[in-house]
């Protein structure tokens, strides 16, 4: 089975440090960044080694030198090797892109926590990441090496990415686009018509896109070539059309800025999109805590709008979100901080 980000955190919390973990997944899904953020919060250093870039074992274990005391060959410690007893997380990225001779060095490291006779500090953890699929140029892994890892297929959900994107300041136009078109988050949804050099979107490329469009209030034909080199022609055309034709206000504009004037002109599917976007926005807690009061007030105004319009399909969709287990923090916040809104939601649900 596949695991999402929350499930991965649970695995990391409950796996002993002396058991190795292997994450199997597509490129560009944020494996290294998720691990770095997780362990950074715990104050543990993550050392990332890109094994696919190493040409021979010396790149991993260091250069040989003569020990003047013993007259025997020793190895200079590599730059990353800890010199004190502080445990680290050693992240072996691109494990199945490494040369066979490099993989032989990894065998002792994963079994005994030793590298050229030097032992990692107690409590250190080894995590590897591999790509899996016919589209990659990969090295077959020795079954004896594979057996030294607990293996998990890692597939962070769209919700995982949206939550991270809101907290990380990703351009709101991208967040809104992916919220409503989640199939465009990863390149697996696109066929490559022009060979391997045809760009397709992935989570990493959407992050880069956010960085380059942040200074453009509008997106025109002039910016298209800039973006197409990051996410490809097809995704760029879809994204630009969405940005320039989309009239649905974002959850932030509704809950923080109180933008309600366009709601009456929206279709039923568009209002259902807003329902989901509002719950996602509150659940992610990506807003400033000082904005909480105005957020709850505007959420109540949105309920009033739905009650006034008597849009049965939109109301039914809203109720389905209230009854789901996807947004528990949202309903808890409303019940604790805005009971008048909670009463309206209960009445809203009870009337159906």
């Amino acid at each position: 089975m596949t695991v999402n980000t929350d499930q991965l955190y649970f695995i990391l919390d409950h796996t002993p440090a002396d058991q190795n973990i292997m994450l199997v997944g597509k490129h560009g899904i944020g494996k290294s960044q998720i691990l770095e953020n997780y362990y950074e919060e715990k104050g543990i250093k993550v050392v990332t080694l890109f094994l696919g870039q190493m040409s021979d074992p010396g790149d991993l274990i260091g250069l040989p030198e003569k020990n003047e005391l013993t007259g025997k060959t020793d190895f200079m410690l590599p730059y990353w090797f800890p010199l004190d007893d502080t445990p680290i997380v050693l992240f072996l990225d691109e494990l199945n892109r490494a040369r066979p001779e490099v993989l032989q060095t990894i065998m002792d490291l994963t079994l005994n926590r030793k590298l050229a006779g030097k032992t990692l500090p107690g409590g250190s953890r080894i995590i590897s990441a591999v790509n899996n699929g016919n589209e990659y140029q990969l090295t077959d892994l020795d079954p004896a090496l594979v057996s030294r890892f607990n293996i998990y297929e890692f597939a962070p959900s769209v919700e995982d990415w949206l939550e991270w994107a809101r907290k990380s300041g990703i351009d709101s136009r991208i967040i809104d686009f992916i919220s409503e078109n989640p199939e465009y988050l990863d390149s697996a949804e696109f066929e490559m018509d022009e060979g391997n050099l045809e760009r397709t979107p992935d989570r990493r490329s959407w992050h880069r896109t956010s960085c380059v469009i942040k200074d453009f209030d509008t997106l025109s034909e002039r910016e298209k070539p800039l973006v197409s080199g990051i996410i490809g022609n097809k995704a760029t055309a879809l994204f630009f059309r969405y940005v320039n034709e989309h009239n649905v206000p974002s959850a932030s504009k509704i809950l923080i800025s109180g933008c309600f004037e366009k709601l009456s002109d929206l279709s039923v599917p568009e209002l259902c999109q807003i329902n989901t976007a509002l719950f996602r926005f509150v659940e992610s807690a990506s807003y400033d805590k000082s904005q909480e009061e105005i957020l709850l007030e505007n959420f109540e105004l949105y309920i009033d709008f739905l009650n006034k319009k008597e849009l049965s399909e939109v109301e039914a969709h809203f109720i389905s979100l209230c009854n789901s287990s996807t947004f528990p923090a949202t309903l808890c916040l409303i019940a604790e901080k805005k009971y008048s809104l909670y009463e309206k939601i209960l009445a809203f649900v009870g009337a159906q």
Side-chain angles (χ1 to χ4, degrees):
M1 64 177 293
T2 60
V3 298
N4 60 26
T5 302
D6 286 339
Q7 291 168 325
L8 175 60
Y9 289 161
F10 182 84
I11 290 167
L12 296 176
D13 281 337
H14 293 87
T15 301
D18 61 354
Q19 294 187 21
N20 307 317
I21 292 173
M22 179 185 292
L23 303 180
V24 182
K26 295 285 186 179
H27 67 281
I29 60 175
K31 296 185 288 291
S32 59
Q33 187 171 52
I34 288 171
L35 288 173
E36 288 173 3
N37 292 343
Y38 173 82
Y39 283 109
E40 183 179 313
E41 291 182 359
K42 296 180 176 295
I44 301 175
K45 181 180 180 181
V46 177
V47 175
T48 302
L49 300 179
F50 295 98
L51 300 185
Q53 299 176 7
M54 295 182 175
S55 59
D56 61 59
D59 292 336
L60 180 62
I61 64 177
L63 297 176
E65 64 175 351
K66 180 180 179 181
N67 188 317
E68 297 297 337
L69 295 178
T70 64
K72 297 180 180 180
T73 300
D74 220 338
F75 286 88
M76 299 173 62
L77 288 174
Y79 72 94
W80 57 266
F81 201 93
L83 299 178
D84 55 21
D85 293 328
T86 304
I88 64 168
V89 173
L90 188 58
F91 181 47
L92 306 177
D93 204 1
E94 303 177 342
L95 181 67
N96 58 344
R97 292 177 184 269
R99 293 172 177 268
E101 55 269 29
V102 173
L103 289 176
Q104 291 301 316
T105 305
I106 297 297
M107 297 283 280
D108 190 32
L109 181 63
T110 54
L111 181 62
N112 300 312
R113 294 296 194 273
K114 288 185 177 182
L115 192 64
K118 307 296 193 302
T119 304
L120 290 175
S124 292
R125 182 185 296 275
I126 296 177
I127 301 175
S128 70
V130 301
N131 298 134
N132 190 28
N134 294 329
E135 66 270 32
Y136 300 109
Q137 296 180 359
L138 305 174
T139 303
D140 290 335
L141 296 178
D142 189 311
L145 176 60
V146 173
S147 70
R148 298 174 186 184
F149 289 90
N150 302 343
I151 302 175
Y152 303 97
E153 184 176 353
F154 181 47
S157 67
V158 175
E159 286 292 341
D160 289 338
W161 186 86
L162 288 171
E163 180 178 354
W164 169 84
R166 293 185 183 104
K167 292 180 179 179
S168 302
I170 297 297
D171 191 284
S172 62
R173 292 168 291 188
I174 293 176
I175 293 175
D176 292 341
F177 175 73
I178 298 300
S179 294
E180 298 179 22
N181 303 277
E183 66 272 22
Y184 297 132
L185 178 59
D186 293 305
S187 58
E189 302 296 332
F190 289 79
E191 294 183 0
M192 302 179 89
D193 297 332
E194 301 178 24
N196 290 337
L197 293 181
E198 169 69 7
R199 283 296 295 133
T200 55
D202 55 40
R203 299 167 193 234
R204 185 185 299 149
S205 64
W206 282 116
H207 185 196
R208 295 204 301 267
T209 300
S210 176
C211 293
V212 302
I213 68 172
K214 63 181 180 181
D215 295 326
F216 298 103
D217 294 331
T218 59
L219 295 178
S220 65
E221 290 296 317
R222 183 185 62 173
E223 289 80 42
K224 264 191 177 181
L226 176 67
V227 175
S228 66
I230 306 174
I231 58 174
N233 296 331
K234 293 180 181 179
T236 297
L238 292 166
F239 176 58
F240 272 58
R241 186 183 309 131
Y242 172 89
V243 169
N244 292 314
E245 297 179 2
H246 195 59
N247 295 317
V248 178
S250 67
S252 176
K253 288 183 177 178
I254 293 173
L255 295 179
I256 304 302
S257 303
C259 178
F260 291 92
E261 59 270 15
K262 293 183 179 180
L263 296 184
S264 297
D265 300 327
L266 299 181
S267 65
V268 167
E270 288 172 331
L271 286 171
C272 289
Q273 291 171 8
I274 286 181
N275 284 347
T276 304
L278 296 185
F279 275 88
R280 281 175 171 165
F281 184 79
V282 179
E283 192 74 17
S284 70
S286 55
Y287 52 89
D288 192 289
K289 290 299 180 182
S290 64
Q291 300 172 319
E292 193 169 80
E293 184 176 349
I294 188 67
L295 177 147
L296 292 171
E297 289 178 4
N298 285 326
F299 208 134
E300 188 166 7
L301 290 175
Y302 181 73
I303 295 290
D304 294 339
F305 165 79
L306 293 183
N307 276 319
K308 182 179 179 180
K309 289 295 182 179
E310 297 182 351
L311 299 167
S312 57
E313 292 179 65
V314 181
E315 292 173 352
H317 179 260
F318 185 92
I319 291 168
S320 71
L321 297 177
C322 294
N323 290 332
S324 76
S325 59
T326 309
F327 306 105
T330 301
L331 293 176
C332 286
L333 175 68
I334 291 172
E336 293 175 4
K337 300 292 183 69
K338 192 74 173 177
Y339 195 72
S340 60
L341 169 58
Y342 189 64
E343 287 182 317
K344 287 183 180 180
I345 290 178
L346 291 177
F348 200 29
V349 173
Q352 299 304 307

